[in-house]
Amino acid sequence: MTNTDTLDSDARPDADNGAQPHRSTSPTDRYSTRQIMVALVAGILLLQLGFITSYVAAFHQPTPHDIPIAVVAEAGLPAGIDQQVADRLNAIDSRPVEARVAANTFEARNLIDSREIMGAYVVSASGTDTLITASAAGSSAATALEAIFTEADAAEHRTFVVRDEVPVGVHDNRGLSGFYLAIGWVVGGYLLAAAIGLLIGAPRTRREAWTHTAVMAGYALVSGFLGALVTTNLLGTFTGHLLPLSLLGAGVVFATGMFTMGLRAVVGILAVPLAILIFVVLGNPSAGGAFGSNVLPGFYAAIGRWITPGAGTEGVRSIVYFGGTGIGQPSLTLVGYAVAGTAALIGMTTWRVRRSRGLDAAAGRS
């Protein structure tokens, strides 16, 4: 048998031994119209209620918790004053901050740039201290720090000024542009995957599975580039960063789309509501937008970075404002979704091809 014969055999698994193709039945063959309608209404109602509950739960009462900061004491102050301030901050009820000591403001700025902390408090001998924030790391966290230190300094009869060390761009209101860019990429990925699944169906051969994968990869490259182009060149939201943002966007789209197609191969049409549940109901609010993980409820803070909207949002923030620092974890998340989705799509298609051939062979022997 030649290579061409092998490929042709793989492309037409149901044609072996002259057997009739094995056809799957549609829901309308097994259930009445009324049953399907009831299931659709109930399923969509549950998704709608899940959407409302998830978004309101995430954003109705943002509360700061464990915001990492450093305390610095200027020269001329008694030794150990920085540790005393840090201890007082860590003793605040509900633990809104997690304070540590830094040797000087240079170290504190390096810790902010390396994303180990989100702010620093410089205690001054003059009585007017300085709060260093980084609104690009999360504008709500920066605002929360101002509120926390306003109350703390009032109790100590001190005042402070605020210096934003890493501000958001002038065209990036509250740092939300990266969030919406990531959401746009995510929506494109799962919509294309859902459309392929609903209008074309699951691949019947390995060749079709790889074709669907190639289509998703091509779409991801184009949509990733265009999304980056709109925000950098057309709207001027982010100056520069076209190439890294394009690559990030391609990763977000491909990871989301392939995971959705993998779900489609495993669970069928239920992949569409499952994708909405994962990427919209859970993924969007946990991504945070202007709310960093340190002001979201614990559940959303824990899952946000492990879902593609959060990975995309954090990736944009890392690229645009921190020179790529912190991009590793979002990249790992996207690779995980892409690999899992591709493996599910190819694996389930291969299993179905072999199963179909087995059924045809059994039919030929009977």
Side-chain angles (χ1 to χ4, degrees):
M1 180 182 290
T2 65
N3 291 337
T4 302
D5 294 334
T6 302
L7 291 174
D8 288 342
S9 177
D10 180 52
R12 297 189 302 273
D14 296 319
D16 293 347
N17 304 318
Q20 292 297 317
H22 176 70
R23 301 182 185 277
S24 61
T25 57
S26 68
T28 55
D29 294 329
R30 291 175 288 176
Y31 305 102
S32 69
T33 301
R34 178 178 296 177
Q35 288 174 316
I36 294 173
M37 184 67 72
V38 170
L40 283 174
V41 170
I44 292 173
L45 179 61
L46 287 175
L47 278 178
Q48 181 186 43
L49 292 178
F51 183 95
I52 295 170
T53 303
S54 186
Y55 275 69
V56 174
F59 298 138
H60 79 289
Q61 192 176 3
T63 304
H65 53 86
D66 297 318
I67 301 175
I69 65 168
V71 176
V72 178
E74 288 186 346
L77 290 169
I81 189 68
D82 47 2
Q83 187 62 59
Q84 293 175 23
V85 173
D87 291 341
R88 285 200 299 268
L89 291 170
N90 289 331
I92 297 175
D93 290 343
S94 75
R95 198 174 171 83
V97 298
E98 184 178 276
R100 57 192 283 189
V101 171
N104 48 52
T105 54
F106 178 77
E107 180 186 356
R109 290 191 187 96
N110 285 338
L111 290 172
I112 290 174
D113 291 338
S114 63
R115 312 202 64 185
E116 295 184 49
I117 61 175
M118 299 182 72
Y121 190 71
V122 184
V123 185
S124 171
S126 68
T128 300
D129 305 324
T130 301
L131 175 63
I132 302 174
T133 61
S135 60
S139 59
S140 289
T143 302
L145 286 177
E146 292 187 40
I148 292 165
F149 280 99
T150 296
E151 184 176 345
D153 273 23
E156 298 292 329
H157 304 291
R158 300 180 67 87
T159 59
F160 69 92
V161 295
V162 179
R163 184 168 69 243
D164 196 344
E165 185 73 14
V166 189
V168 295
V170 65
H171 299 296
D172 184 15
N173 181 36
R174 300 188 67 204
L176 285 170
S177 300
F179 169 68
Y180 290 120
L181 174 60
I183 294 304
W185 282 328
V186 168
V187 168
Y190 76 71
L191 279 183
L192 178 60
I196 291 174
L198 292 173
L199 300 179
I200 298 177
R204 294 164 295 178
T205 67
R206 287 187 293 271
R207 180 183 293 175
E208 285 186 6
W210 284 114
T211 298
H212 290 188
T213 303
V215 169
M216 183 59 69
Y219 174 80
L221 288 171
V222 173
S223 61
F225 170 75
L226 291 177
L229 184 68
V230 167
T231 54
T232 57
N233 290 45
L234 183 59
L235 299 178
T237 305
F238 306 126
T239 303
H241 311 291
L242 176 60
L243 178 58
L245 284 176
S246 298
L247 294 175
L248 173 68
V252 172
V253 175
F254 186 74
T256 305
M258 288 308 302
F259 191 79
T260 304
M261 288 206 292
L263 280 178
R264 174 67 175 81
V266 174
V267 301
I269 197 171
L270 285 177
V272 175
L274 279 177
I276 294 174
L277 174 65
I278 295 169
F279 298 121
V280 179
V281 175
L282 294 177
N284 285 6
S286 64
F291 296 89
S293 61
N294 296 94
V295 295
L296 289 175
F299 171 73
Y300 294 94
I303 67 172
R305 65 163 111 182
W306 301 111
I307 308 180
T308 56
T313 301
E314 185 60 26
V316 173
R317 184 177 290 147
S318 297
I319 290 169
V320 173
Y321 294 115
F322 293 94
T325 300
I327 194 66
Q329 191 278 323
S331 300
L332 178 64
T333 298
L334 298 179
V335 169
Y337 276 88
V339 170
T342 304
L345 178 65
I346 303 302
M348 287 301 297
T349 302
T350 300
W351 176 78
R352 288 194 177 100
V353 167
R354 292 174 178 172
R355 179 173 177 269
S356 179
R357 286 175 173 172
L359 291 174
D360 290 344
R365 289 193 299 268
S366 60

